[in-house]
Amino acid sequence: AGNSAAGKEKAAACMACHGEAGKSSAPVYPNLAGQQQDYLEAALHAYKSGDRSAGQAAIMSGYASELSDQDIQDLAAWYAAQKP
Amino acid sequence: AGNSAAGKEKAAACMACHGEAGKSSAPVYPNLAGQQQDYLEAALHAYKSGDRSAGQAAIMSGYASELSDQDIQDLAAWYAAQKP
């Protein structure tokens, strides 16, 4: 299962686009705060595997390719727990 | 530009999974309420074009393939305007 505190530590690279706690910095980037945890995990796996290829997917695939399954669970737990 | 009221009308098919006003009915489905409008448009175009192929993408591509550019703008306007 994901660890929200660990996820916060791992989210440093995410903040430029997705905000300090999941409120995005520009309209092309999705808000993540309060998003469904399972969906966030699925989305990160899809970016990692190359199953998303439009929009900002090239950037996201670059980041996601570095993430372990545990990293993905932790990041999803962190963002799901933030207030939208 | 998207018309939120028109988007609400067009969202009837979305509600089973994404909720009456964008709060999803199960953890695999993303919340859409208050999501960034530009991101929502980009995501719908990606499903329509087949640039998303994992998770629930097959279902979403089926729905999105029926949407015009105006439909996509209207739906994005509707969900972006809902309270998260």
Side-chain angles (χ1 to χ4, degrees):
Chain A
N3 179 302
S4 165
K8 182 178 183 179
E9 303 270 327
K10 296 173 181 179
C14 315
M15 292 180 181
C17 296
H18 292 289
E20 282 216 35
K23 297 192 185 177
S24 85
S25 61
V28 295
Y29 307 128
N31 297 316
L32 303 179
Q35 187 52 276
Q36 295 280 4
Q37 187 168 342
D38 287 6
Y39 171 75
L40 291 172
E41 289 188 25
L44 280 169
H45 281 292
Y47 286 118
K48 182 176 179 179
S49 63
D51 287 325
R52 289 186 172 189
S53 57
Q56 310 299 311
I59 298 170
M60 280 303 301
S61 293
Y63 284 113
S65 68
E66 307 290 326
L67 301 175
S68 68
D69 287 356
Q70 187 64 52
D71 292 338
I72 287 174
Q73 289 174 25
D74 291 347
L75 287 164
W78 160 248
Y79 283 115
Q82 303 312 300
K83 190 173 164 58
Chain B
N3 180 302
S4 166
K8 182 178 183 179
E9 302 270 327
K10 296 172 180 177
C14 316
M15 293 180 180
C17 296
H18 292 289
E20 283 216 34
K23 295 192 186 178
S24 84
S25 61
V28 295
Y29 306 129
N31 297 317
L32 303 179
Q35 187 51 277
Q36 295 281 3
Q37 187 168 341
D38 288 6
Y39 171 75
L40 291 172
E41 289 188 25
L44 280 168
H45 281 292
Y47 286 119
K48 182 177 178 178
S49 63
D51 287 326
R52 288 187 173 189
S53 57
Q56 310 297 312
I59 298 170
M60 279 302 301
S61 292
Y63 284 114
S65 68
E66 307 290 326
L67 300 175
S68 68
D69 287 356
Q70 187 64 52
D71 293 338
I72 286 174
Q73 289 173 27
D74 292 347
L75 288 164
W78 161 248
Y79 283 114
Q82 303 313 302
K83 190 172 164 57

